[in-house]
Amino acid sequence: MSLIPLFSGGTGRSGTTIIVNLLNRHENIHSSMPREIRYLTDRAGLLDLNYRREDDKNLSLTNKFKRPAMYLLQYSPYWKRKIFLSGMQNSWWSTKGKNGNPRGLVQGIEREKLQELLDTFEYDSKVDLEEAAAQLFFQLAAAQISKPNVRYFADSTPANISNAEYISRLLPGSRFINMVRDGRDVAFSVSKQPFGPNDPFLALDWWKNRVLVSAKGMQKVSLKLSIEMRLEDLIEFRREESYTKILDFLELPDSVRMREYFALNMNTANMHAGAWKKDMVGASKFEIRYTEILAELLEQGIVIEKFY
């Protein structure tokens, strides 16, 4: 049985990694190392090698530096390949993680194996770039997998959902899980991270925009290949229904290890819902702005349930 790419995504801090950590406990799923492979959706990655994507005004700082080169060289397959290969051997290979340890493809594959696959890609891409790019993705995934009977290779890069159209073109049959979480909790959490706005009010608009682009991305994918999962449902309000929904979507039986992880680790205490109420200045105005944003999203046909 061929490997099926499985992508969680949506907005950062919405459970994109949590869902993949849960799925990784299933015998038929292997989650990427690192959890966010990046080389697919980042600027100058595999998608940009093959497709001219719409400009994203919310690119990360790293991607903004790469963007000018990609647009200047979009008509030069040779230089696009060179930029991609440089990224694979440098920033996507290894960067310093939060705890100071190396983070990147170094976590899941040997350097010699990576180079072997890149050499093959460079040669094959001169004949059929799209086919070579897809083949490289599957080869990199397979190189990480050691357990038998794996059907899905899962990645949790948030931008997966906004790029679902292009991913589906490169990797037909891919499955997508769009993670959604209360925007107040997301914005407050994002404001404390090195990415995104450090002002919670600005982070609310950041969240709104990502909800919109994620919804647009989901519209480009077959309903059979995508689901939306509300983090609060999975953790608290509709636990069993949400858990079963995931297994049904993936057409998988239950798993003892996955079930145990779900029971022990996925709980309300670890979600920190509503922390913004006591920890931020201007909480009442923050609440008012969030309510306005929900109304603005509703006008565009996007319903975000307000649990508290």
Side-chain angles (χ1 to χ4, degrees), residues 94-108:
S94 181
T95 58
K96 184 180 290 187
K98 292 181 180 179
N99 58 6
N101 294 327
R103 180 180 182 180
L105 289 171
V106 64
Q107 296 174 261

Side-chain angles (χ1 to χ4, degrees), residues 181-201:
R181 183 186 181 190
D182 188 288
R184 296 164 295 182
D185 291 321
V186 172
F188 184 67
S189 180
V190 164
S191 69
K192 298 179 179 299
Q193 302 298 318
F195 65 89
N198 57 16
D199 181 331
F201 285 86

Side-chain angles (χ1 to χ4, degrees), residues 192-251:
K192 298 179 179 299
Q193 302 298 318
F195 65 89
N198 57 16
D199 181 331
F201 285 86
L202 295 177
L204 275 179
D205 289 307
W206 177 96
W207 172 80
K208 172 192 171 183
N209 183 67
R210 276 158 175 72
V211 167
L212 287 169
V213 297
S214 294
K216 183 179 179 181
M218 289 285 278
Q219 292 171 0
K220 304 290 186 178
V221 181
S222 166
L223 292 176
K224 294 181 179 179
L225 300 177
S226 61
I227 60 169
E228 183 172 285
M229 179 62 58
R230 182 67 187 261
L231 181 63
E232 291 86 352
D233 278 338
L234 181 63
I235 301 297
E236 182 176 3
F237 296 105
R238 303 178 181 94
R239 283 177 61 84
E240 189 60 32
E241 178 184 340
S242 299
Y243 183 90
T244 301
K245 178 181 177 181
I246 297 170
L247 291 175
D248 289 346
F249 170 63
L250 299 175
E251 300 176 295

